[in-house]
């Protein structure tokens, strides 16, 4: 169902990852994502897998919950795999009719899938262990230097935080609207593609209306509490690094070293 | 028409920290032509329960039988069931989407696969039944007032000619006049069109003068199921669950406690008035 989308969702429990400073997690996720794109070899993916599995173990988030997020991108995964398998030129593996499957194609498809899956899991691990407000605090602080170039860092962070907190709200709303239209006999599963797309109208129109209504209410609520942007705004809990965070950075540097070594040697 | 809810459980998000047992061993049955109120404080599982009645949600334990047939059995025509058990959600006006009122009301019957003329006839009758004027048929549903929108949304379900109509918090967010209108509409559907009506609410005052039987939910469990007057005789239990008895019943029972020899099992203002006058010998 629509509730399976775990994008941006927070999983409340207690773990080392939950307690880390959001800046560490942001930095770690960034390094991890970059490393995924640097790896071209099998050994590289072993390193990435080991790192990811240990992070999942540390996070105390149920594995089932983490993998649920993948369902939403299943289509993209299959699509990428098919395209890569059939359209990559190279040495022939099997061939029938006009279609040739190459060794390079299979290899590329496998890597692409691993990359996408790890990318999604890696980044959802960050949002699962970090509350939206913490995440945006971290983002605002780590990107603070961009203010020099007149980038509206605070505003961007605020927008992101609002977007993140509204994802579950809107998903819930979508779920409710779908149910309400189903109660009126709406059918989203049968018929050809045109009919199915058309059947989305009764969901999308109320959803947009409700999103605009919520946005409007929120804007009024913020203004009536004198929100005027980031200047002079103080924090209830300012971010500060602790010993744990330093250790985490050390782990990250080690990971980076391994990535570089593996990249050069294998 | 009959509905049997047999030992139904519903657990949201089983196996995660979000796990929540919203229904716990709920059993009751609904006979043709009944007029029922379902009450309970917020979060007690009322909405969860009513979304089971038309098969939108599946029980995680127990079963629901419509006319004696298990609705989760293989091959059960769930779409036909949705036509028979009309469910009007909380804030139903949020589900309006068509360009005009009439088209929106046609959505339900159209999904039942009826003929064009039948669809339009049903939409017309439904809009008439909820008291929407002819000149409002072709305006955008978004230009109506809150109470009118809600009546249009109810018409959207009525147009499917359900045998049972379930209204989830039909009075939420309306002013007293709007509330009375909706409740009068429910009375009318029940008495004139012979529809079985179930109203979900947490206001006892809204229900007292209308429904014949009340089901009380508390924390996922069905804790009372009795005729309206009997339920309101249990003031202490209801208050312990965060509910109240109708104001007139509360006043009478306070008067009794203060020493006046009044009956305290009355629920309408009219009854209370004549009882108080009787005690004062007028
Ligand atoms: N989709 C869902 N996922 C998880 N938990 C849910 C979901 N829907 C409801 N719940 C939980 O189940 C319980 C019962 O909810 P329900 O909506 O049935 O209550 P209700 O009696 O209708 O309340 P209200 O009077 O506020 O409408 C609540 O504790 C709620 O938090
Ligand atoms: Mg409810």
């Amino acid at each position: 169902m629509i509730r399976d989308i775990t994008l941006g969702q927070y999983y409340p429990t207690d773990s080392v990852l939950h307690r880390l400073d959001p800046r560490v997690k942001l930095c770690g996720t960034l390094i991890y994502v970059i490393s995924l794109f640097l790896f071209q070899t099998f050994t590289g993916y072993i390193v990435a897998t080991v790192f990811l599995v240990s992070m999942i173990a540390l996070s105390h988030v149920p594995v089932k919950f983490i993998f649920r997020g993948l369902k939403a991108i299943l289509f993209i995964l299959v699509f990428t795999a098919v395209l890569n398998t059939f359209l990559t030129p190279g040495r022939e593996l099997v061939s029938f009719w006009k279609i040739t499957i190459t060794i390079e194609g299979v290899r590329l498809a496998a890597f692409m899938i691993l990359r996408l899956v790890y990318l999604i899991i890696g980044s959802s691990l960050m949002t699962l262990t970090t509350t939206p407000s913490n995440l945006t605090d971290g983002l605002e602080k780590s990107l603070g230097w961009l203010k020099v170039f007149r980038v509206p860092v605070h505003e961007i962070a605020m927008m992101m935080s609002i977007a993140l907190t509204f994802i579950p709200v809107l998903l819930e709303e979508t779920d409710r609207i779908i149910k309400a239209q189903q109660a009126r006999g709406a059918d989203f599963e049968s018929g050809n593609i045109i009919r199915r797309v058309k059947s989305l109208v009764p969901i999308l129109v109320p959803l947009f209306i409700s999103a605009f209504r919520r946005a409007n209410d929120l804007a009024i609520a913020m203004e009536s509490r004198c929100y005027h942007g980031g200047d002079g705004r103080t924090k209830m809990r300012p971010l500060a690094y602790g010993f744990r965070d330093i250790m985490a950075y050390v782990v990250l540097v080690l990971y980076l070293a391994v990535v570089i070594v593996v990249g050069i040697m294998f | 028409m009959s509905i049997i809810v047999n030992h139904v459980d519903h657990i949201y998000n089983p196996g995660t920290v979000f796990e929540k047992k919203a229904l716990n061993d709920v059993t009751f049955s609904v006979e043709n032509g009944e007029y029922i109120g379902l009450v309970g404080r917020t979060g007690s599982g009322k909405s969860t329960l009513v979304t089971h009645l038309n098969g939108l949600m599946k029980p995680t334990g127990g079963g629901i039988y419509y006319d004696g047939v298990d609705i989760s059995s293989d091959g059960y025509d769930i779409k036909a069931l949705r036509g028979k058990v009309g469910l009007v959600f909380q804030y139903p006006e949020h589900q309006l989407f068509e360009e005009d009122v009439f088209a929106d009301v046609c959505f339900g019957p159209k999904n039942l696969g009826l003929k064009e003329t039948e669809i339009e006839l049903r939409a017309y009758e439904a809009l008439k039944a909820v008291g929407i004027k002819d000149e409002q048929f072709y305006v955008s549903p978004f230009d109506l007032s809150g109470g009118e929108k809600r009546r249009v949304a109810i018409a959207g379900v009525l147009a499917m000619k359900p045998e049972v109509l379930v209204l989830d918090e039909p009075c939420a967010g309306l002013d007293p006049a709007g509330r009375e209108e909706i409740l009068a509409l429910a009375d009318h559907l029940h008495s004139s069109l012979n529809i079985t009506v179930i109203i979900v609410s947490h206001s006892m005052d809204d229900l007292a003068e209308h429904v014949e039987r009340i089901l009380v939910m508390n924390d996922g469990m069905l804790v009372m199921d009795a005729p309206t007057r009997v339920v309101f005789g249990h003031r202490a239990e209801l208050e312990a669950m965060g509910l109240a008895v109708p104001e007139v019943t509360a006043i009478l029972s306070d008067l009794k406690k203060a020493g006046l020899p009044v009956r305290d099992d009355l629920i309408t203002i009219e009854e209370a008035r004549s009882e108080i006058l009787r005690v004062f010998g007028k």
Side-chain angles (χ1 to χ4, degrees), chain A residues 151-173:
Chain A
V151 177
V153 177
H154 170 80
E155 281 70 18
I156 293 173
M158 182 55 99
M159 281 194 273
M160 208 183 97
S161 136
I162 292 172
L164 279 177
T165 39
F166 270 82
I167 288 174
V169 175
L170 286 180
L171 286 179
E172 209 167 284
E173 185 92 8

Side-chain angles (χ1 to χ4, degrees), chain A residues 9-12 64-65 179-187 202 205-206 209 213, chain B residues 14 17-18 54 56-57 79 82 87 89 94-97 104 107-108 111 142 160:
Chain A
Q9 201 177 352
Y10 174 66
Y11 189 92
K64 205 174 79 185
F65 205 83
K179 286 221 178 79
Q181 306 298 24
Q182 276 178 330
R184 295 209 275 166
D187 184 357
V205 174
I209 291 172
R213 188 179 51 232
Chain B
V17 274
F18 303 113
N54 69 352
L56 272 176
M57 275 194 191
K79 222 170 147 182
R82 304 225 168 110
L87 177 55
F89 274 81
H94 293 176
Q95 73 195 30
L96 301 174
F97 68 97
D104 207 282
F107 182 68
N111 286 327
F142 304 107
M160 300 174 55

Side-chain angles (χ1 to χ4, degrees), chain A residues 193-256:
Chain A
I193 185 100
I194 296 174
R195 267 192 64 164
R196 279 200 213 185
V197 171
K198 263 194 179 158
S199 75
L200 291 180
V201 174
I203 301 174
L204 292 182
V205 174
L207 190 63
F208 271 99
I209 291 172
S210 124
F212 282 120
R213 188 179 51 232
R214 278 176 200 282
N216 194 27
D217 289 353
L218 182 68
I220 292 173
M222 283 169 82
E223 272 189 4
S224 43
R225 281 181 287 171
C226 304
Y227 178 77
H228 57 86
D231 298 333
R233 210 173 137 89
T234 53
K235 293 257 182 278
M236 175 114 154
R237 272 188 226 99
L239 293 175
Y241 283 126
F243 178 67
R244 195 185 295 121
D245 303 306
I246 312 284
M247 289 315 288
Y249 273 125
V250 171
V251 171
L252 278 179
V253 170
L254 285 177
Y255 176 71
L256 203 59

Side-chain angles (χ1 to χ4, degrees), chain A residues 184, chain B residues 101-111 119-120 123-124 156 159:
Chain A
R184 295 209 275 166
Chain B
V101 167
F102 195 76
D104 207 282
V105 176
C106 285
F107 182 68
K110 209 182 271 171
N111 286 327
I119 293 173
E120 292 185 351
Y124 180 81

